[in-house]
Amino acid sequence: MRSVLLSKSVSANLPKIYVLLSLRWMMFIIPILVIFFYDNGLDQTQVMILQSLFSIAIVLFEIPSGYFSDVMGRKLTVVLGCILGSCGFLIYSFSFGFWGFLAAELVLGLGASFISGTDSALVYDTLAQLGREAEYPKIEGRCSSICNFSETAASIIGGMLAAVSLRTPFYLETAFMLMTIPLALTLVEPERHRWDASQGNWNSILQIVRFSLHENKVLKWLIFYASVTGASTLTMVWFIQPYLKESGLPLSLFGVVWAALNFSVGIFSMYAYRIERKLGRRRILLLQIPLMTIGFILAGLFQTLWAIPVLFIFYFVRGINRPVMKSYINQMVSSDKRATVISVSNMTGRMIFALAGPVIGLIKDRFSLSYALFTAALIILTSGSIVLVFLNKHRVLTNSS
């Protein structure tokens, strides 16, 4: 009887996670964020430096927070992430320049690192306790869809609120983030293996990093693949608003386009597991690099209203990448180090973005948006091809299952 009640309480984690993600991803600020930065005196290079430093903050905190999750528990880690996220948006609401924005981004980066990886590990561990591990790709895709559908709705609202002032969306963002804290407190810690920290915390962390990026060759190159593709789509996210501006789209329609893009990625995420099942592992891995390369080239060639649909290429990749790659990685890792390994993957992607983002932003400011996007195409084609060579070497691409 007790096990039945426990299973029921643990199963309630799933709808709670859905609601929590929907609140966290009500990103009212996103469709006007770059324009907000411009309005406060920043240029594109500073925007990319700001996001690079945000990524570096995540890099610094990602693995320790993942390890914290594995040792101290999923619930506590999510609660701390929600508290820090609320504080970050509160700081943003009352900041007016680069240094204030940087302080907000660093707090948000710390908060994001606590939730990043832990949410996926919590979902997987919950399903494992219920004997439903096979459903993980479907559930992860659903979580991604919820995030993007929430951002879709928030984009439309945020665009309308920007007509009041560019700062109004930040106030509403803070209110929604505060609502995540009491919800996170109701989560139930699922059963899982506990990581043996008898060797010391840092030694244990280094052991997991070594396992992820050195000892397990297949896992290493899957992580690099997820990192390269993730960093590439993230780069394009920060160039969409300059792209729309140069295409001549009215500011009042930015939220509508952003909503359409995020709605599409929600649909792609929802059906990612079916797409992966249909195409198989080989084709799904071979598909993403050339798609993004073509997308960057087309966006660099054409900055006009009729070319805006090119952006959906990136959101297709963005939609299928997260659930598919996290499923591959989760299948190779035990629950005692699952959140830390996912954090290693997220950290690697953020490191790539932190290095490449400011360079591409500088090229945009010094030369043109087209040159910046062509540079991004060259980076993704070169780095992605190298990763695919090693995946093929370790026979990941020879198995289409």
Side-chain angles (χ1 to χ4, degrees):
M1 180 67 178
R2 182 177 179 276
S3 61
V4 173
L5 292 174
L6 182 59
S7 295
K8 287 183 178 180
S9 63
V10 170
S11 65
N13 280 344
L14 297 178
K16 290 175 184 177
I17 283 289
Y18 297 156
V19 176
L20 191 146
L21 290 174
S22 69
L23 292 172
R24 285 193 71 243
W25 284 91
M26 277 287 179
M27 292 291 180
F28 303 102
I29 66 171
I30 290 296
I32 50 86
L33 184 55
V34 176
I35 307 304
F36 172 80
F37 287 144
Y38 291 170
D39 191 60
N40 281 271
L42 277 65
D43 58 23
Q44 188 66 33
T45 302
Q46 289 176 304
V47 170
M48 298 307 287
I49 289 174
L50 199 61
Q51 296 310 311
S52 176
L53 292 172
F54 170 77
S55 294
I56 290 172
I58 291 182
V59 166
L60 293 175
F61 302 131
E62 186 75 60
I63 295 178
S65 65
Y67 178 77
F68 182 91
S69 172
D70 285 331
V71 174
M72 301 303 295
R74 313 299 190 211
K75 176 180 175 178
L76 177 59
T77 308
V78 171
V79 169
L80 290 174
C82 292
I83 293 172
L84 288 165
S86 301
C87 292
F89 284 116
L90 188 63
I91 295 171
Y92 242 131
S93 297
F94 299 100
S95 298
F96 292 88
F98 180 86
W99 295 107
F101 299 153
L102 177 59
E105 290 284 355
L106 293 177
V107 175
L108 288 172
L110 177 57
S113 69
F114 270 90
I115 295 179
S116 173
T118 297
D119 53 355
S120 296
L122 177 64
V123 169
Y124 195 93
D125 290 341
T126 296
L127 291 171
Q129 183 172 336
L130 298 172
R132 296 165 52 190
E133 299 100 313
E135 296 180 39
Y136 177 77
K138 179 180 178 180
I139 300 298
E140 182 64 47
R142 186 177 297 167
C143 289
S144 296
S145 296
I146 288 170
C147 294
N148 288 288
F149 290 151
S150 294
E151 191 172 345
T152 298
S155 296
I156 298 173
I157 298 170
M160 293 188 294
L161 290 173
V164 178
S165 80
L166 289 174
R167 196 165 293 272
T168 304
F170 286 87
Y171 301 145
L172 189 58
E173 189 80 48
T174 303
F176 270 70
M177 278 302 303
L178 286 169
M179 288 190 282
T180 65
I181 299 172
L183 180 60
L185 288 168
T186 68
L187 292 169
V188 176
E189 188 74 25
E191 293 178 356
R192 57 194 170 84
H193 296 296
R194 301 282 176 171
W195 177 254
D196 180 8
S198 59
Q199 302 176 59
N201 292 339
W202 285 108
N203 285 335
S204 298
I205 291 174
L206 291 174
Q207 185 176 340
I208 299 175
V209 173
R210 192 161 50 244
F211 167 78
S212 304
L213 299 180
H214 178 66
E215 295 174 2
N216 190 318
K217 304 299 184 184
V218 173
L219 179 61
K220 176 177 76 172
W221 290 107
L222 284 173
I223 286 175
F224 283 146
Y225 183 94
S227 301
V228 168
T229 50
S232 299
T233 59
L234 181 59
T235 297
M236 191 61 204
V237 165
W238 291 103
F239 279 93
I240 284 177
Q241 289 170 46
Y243 180 87
L244 296 178
K245 185 177 180 182
E246 294 205 15
S247 297
L249 187 75
L251 179 60
S252 60
L253 295 178
F254 276 38
V256 175
V257 172
W258 200 276
L261 290 169
N262 279 285
F263 183 81
S264 73
V265 80
I267 295 294
F268 297 140
S269 295
M270 183 180 295
Y271 291 100
Y273 76 101
R274 293 187 181 181
I275 296 171
E276 195 276 342
R277 190 183 301 164
K278 181 74 173 178
L279 296 179
R281 187 170 66 190
R282 174 184 171 83
R283 291 190 186 95
I284 205 77
L285 292 175
L286 288 174
L287 179 67
Q288 297 175 59
I289 302 299
L291 269 182
M292 281 189 293
T293 303
I294 292 169
F296 277 119
I297 292 173
L298 291 176
L301 288 173
F302 308 106
Q303 284 112 52
T304 60
L305 293 177
W306 64 263
I308 287 176
V310 168
L311 300 177
F312 286 94
I313 293 175
F314 299 96
Y315 280 74
F316 171 76
V317 175
R318 194 169 176 83
I320 65 173
N321 183 266
R322 174 185 163 101
V324 168
M325 295 310 300
K326 283 196 173 181
S327 177
Y328 292 160
I329 292 170
N330 271 316
Q331 291 169 16
M332 302 185 67
V333 181
S334 59
S335 64
D336 60 330
K337 50 182 175 285
R338 181 166 290 125
T340 310
V341 171
I342 296 173
S343 293
V344 171
S345 178
N346 294 338
M347 177 205 70
T348 308
R350 287 286 178 176
M351 286 179 64
I352 294 172
F353 173 77
L355 293 171
V359 175
I360 299 172
L362 181 62
I363 292 172
K364 187 265 183 187
D365 286 334
R366 294 288 179 86
F367 298 99
S368 70
L369 178 61
S370 292
Y371 278 112
L373 295 175
F374 292 150
T375 302
L378 180 62
I379 292 172
I380 180 61
L381 180 61
T382 304
S383 58
S385 297
I386 292 171
V387 173
L388 286 172
V389 166
F390 281 96
L391 284 174
N392 187 59
K393 177 183 177 181
H394 293 289
R395 304 183 63 80
V396 176
L397 301 182
T398 59
N399 184 356
S400 61
S401 62

